[in-house]
Amino acid sequence: APRTLPLLSANELVPGPYTYRRFWFRDACLMLHPLIVIGGEDRAERIIIRFAERQTMAGYFQSQEGEWDSNGQVLWIISRYAELTGRDLSSPTHTAARKGVTWLDRKRLGGKGPAGTKGLLPAGFSAEHLGPNDYYYWDDFWAWGGLESIAAYWRKRGFTEDADRATALAAEFARDIRKSIAELPEKRSSGAIPAAPGRRMDAGAIGSMVADYPLQLYPAGDPKLMLTAEFLMAECFNGGGFLQQMIHSGINAYLTLDLAQTLLRAGDPRFMELVRSVARLATPTGQWPEAIHPRTLGGCMGDGQHGWAAAEWLMMIRNCFVREESNCLIIGSGILPEWIGDGEEISYGPTLTTWGKVSVRLTGQHLVLDAEWRQAPPRMRILMPGFNSIEADPAVNEYHLVNS
């Protein structure tokens, strides 16, 4: 039955201050991530606790009908919130997460759909930069990642039955996604991952990169994802940034930064030029339109101060200094040479991580780590470009970097 969604309030998160006065789970979840890591966990909690109000009786986190990425995104961000803060989810959020898992289980396709779609989510619109309705891997990767994340949260909190159910469903999504990708015709995919099983490689393949960043469903440098990134950089770039050729028809700062994150994970120094390009495309007020006209460099779609773009810039800078990789904390792997060229101190933090708050200070070749651990500290590696790697000791907070 038709339902009236709650009106926007002070505790809603929308992707822009002027034209985007509607709520999307997609934008909200991706904007909440940097809000949490920079220490805005209380603000994030006020937003997250209202997610259940927008859930249907069937368990669908609905902001717009026909967009099937939201359930995975909500499961991922609420789990990430709990992981970064050490807090428990509220009872309404916990209940909503259970219903969200049920919805994902029931929404999956059987074997009667087009080739390559068995076990995937139905055709939907989802992120408009992917193109018209299709069976997007974007939706399915979010489902897989969200299920794994909420399963880890439930297991850590002792909700074994819920964790087992989410883990089993995540494994089914992973199996069916991998099978679908493995069966793609080589002439259409060239070993990469298109936007959907029936699509050739085009700009919409940017959606499949979510499996690498932020979800980390595959190891850093996974061959198929790197081939996808190579295609996008070779065929879909203009003016140093990713040009989304469908609907947006402009350079997208946030999608360019998503590719930079993949290169950063893989240890590929080309991430630096992507970061520099996005910085050059910023407006005088340090913002980015949702899509940037490739000739005028002004906005050509969406809000002129796009929240998702600002969010990805925050995450890019944060991950350049401090980022998580499996059970390891990586320090300094994205610090650009020009940031330290004059020898003055640069710093970042404190930022929330899985294990606690971490700050980084760097003066020349002298690096200082300050940490407040909530649990046993992780393995730590200092991977500053241009310097020898260091296996850091959590008991030591000062290091001298040696040129490689």
Side-chain angles (χ1 to χ4, degrees):
R3 39 194 311 271
T4 302
L5 297 178
L7 296 174
L8 290 176
S9 76
N11 289 331
E12 295 283 21
L13 189 59
V14 295
Y18 298 115
T19 62
Y20 273 140
R21 301 308 299 164
R22 294 178 63 193
F23 175 87
W24 278 266
F25 276 113
R26 174 169 53 257
D27 296 74
C29 290
L30 289 164
M31 292 164 65
L32 280 169
H33 195 207
L35 180 62
I36 297 167
V37 300
I38 66 173
E41 59 266 42
D42 290 339
R43 291 184 178 184
E45 182 179 47
R46 292 198 296 269
I47 295 162
I48 287 170
I49 203 168
R50 298 199 66 203
F51 280 2
E53 298 174 17
R54 291 184 173 272
Q55 189 178 39
T56 68
M57 291 296 293
Y60 173 35
F61 287 102
Q62 180 184 343
S63 46
Q64 280 73 37
E65 179 61 40
E67 300 187 356
W68 312 131
D69 52 351
S70 56
N71 274 47
Q73 289 157 353
V74 170
L75 295 176
W76 177 77
I77 195 59
I78 64 176
S79 306
R80 189 76 174 127
Y81 161 80
E83 180 184 18
L84 289 164
T85 64
R87 299 176 180 178
D88 291 334
L89 298 177
S90 69
S91 179
T93 303
H94 191 132
T95 300
R98 286 188 177 123
K99 291 169 62 179
V101 171
T102 298
W103 183 88
L104 282 171
D105 193 15
R106 293 175 176 171
K107 195 67 177 178
R108 297 169 67 213
L109 296 171
K112 295 183 179 180
T117 65
K118 182 179 179 181
L120 306 186
L121 292 169
F125 190 62
S126 290
E128 74 277 359
H129 54 266
L130 303 183
N133 272 29
D134 213 333
Y135 301 90
Y136 288 119
Y137 289 126
W138 161 274
D139 298 337
D140 304 297
F141 282 134
W142 274 115
W144 175 8
L147 287 162
E148 283 199 348
S149 297
I150 197 65
Y153 168 79
W154 279 330
R155 201 168 302 285
K156 186 176 290 187
R157 297 307 197 276
F159 297 99
T160 305
E161 185 176 342
D162 291 323
D164 288 346
R165 179 169 169 247
T167 297
L169 185 55
E172 291 180 20
F173 264 101
R175 177 200 65 205
D176 292 332
I177 292 168
R178 290 187 175 118
K179 185 174 186 296
S180 176
I181 293 171
E183 293 174 351
L184 291 170
E186 177 68 21
K187 65 180 181 181
R188 198 165 70 221
S189 69
S190 300
I193 307 176
R199 285 270 284 273
R200 61 178 175 82
M201 290 299 295
D202 56 36
I206 190 73
S208 298
M209 296 305 300
V210 73
D212 184 89
Y213 170 83
L215 295 177
Q216 297 190 1
L217 296 172
Y218 293 83
D222 174 81
K224 283 189 175 295
L225 286 166
M226 293 308 294
L227 282 172
T228 310
E230 293 291 352
F231 168 85
L232 293 166
M233 290 188 290
E235 303 295 335
C236 306
F237 262 50
N238 185 294
F242 173 75
L243 178 71
Q244 181 45 271
Q245 301 160 7
M246 292 173 286
I247 300 179
H248 285 199
S249 301
I251 302 169
N252 285 77
Y254 56 96
L255 297 175
T256 303
L257 291 172
D258 289 348
L259 285 170
Q261 294 275 13
T262 288
L263 297 176
L264 177 63
R265 278 193 81 205
D268 188 324
R270 289 179 295 173
F271 82 89
M272 297 184 188
E273 194 50 45
L274 271 60
V275 173
R276 294 178 184 123
S277 293
V278 172
R280 287 193 294 267
L281 290 167
T283 68
T285 57
Q287 296 288 324
W288 295 268
E290 180 171 9
I292 300 166
H293 194 288
R295 291 188 178 179
T296 68
L297 301 184
C300 62
M301 180 183 171
D303 210 301
Q305 296 179 319
H306 192 54
W308 187 350
E312 292 299 353
W313 180 259
L314 288 173
M315 286 306 305
M316 189 76 240
I317 300 304
R318 185 262 191 182
N319 285 354
C320 284
F321 282 85
V322 180
R323 63 184 177 89
E324 297 99 333
E325 186 67 47
S326 187
N327 292 317
C328 184
L329 200 59
I330 307 295
I331 306 297
S333 63
I335 294 178
L336 273 59
E338 56 263 36
W339 295 353
I340 58 175
D342 57 10
E344 293 185 5
E345 180 180 286
I346 63 171
S347 62
Y348 186 90
T351 182
L352 299 186
T353 74
T354 301
W355 303 275
K357 294 181 180 179
V358 176
S359 298
V360 178
R361 289 183 286 126
L362 181 67
T363 307
Q365 295 178 223
H366 182 68
L367 185 143
V368 179
L369 296 176
D370 295 312
E372 299 176 24
W373 305 117
R374 283 189 293 103
Q375 53 184 295
R379 176 190 175 202
M380 292 193 296
R381 300 187 70 200
I382 299 171
L383 296 179
M384 278 272 297
F387 298 94
N388 292 336
S389 63
I390 299 174
E391 295 292 329
D393 182 345
V396 178
N397 71 335
E398 295 192 34
Y399 296 88
H400 178 72
L401 304 176
V402 178
N403 293 93
S404 57

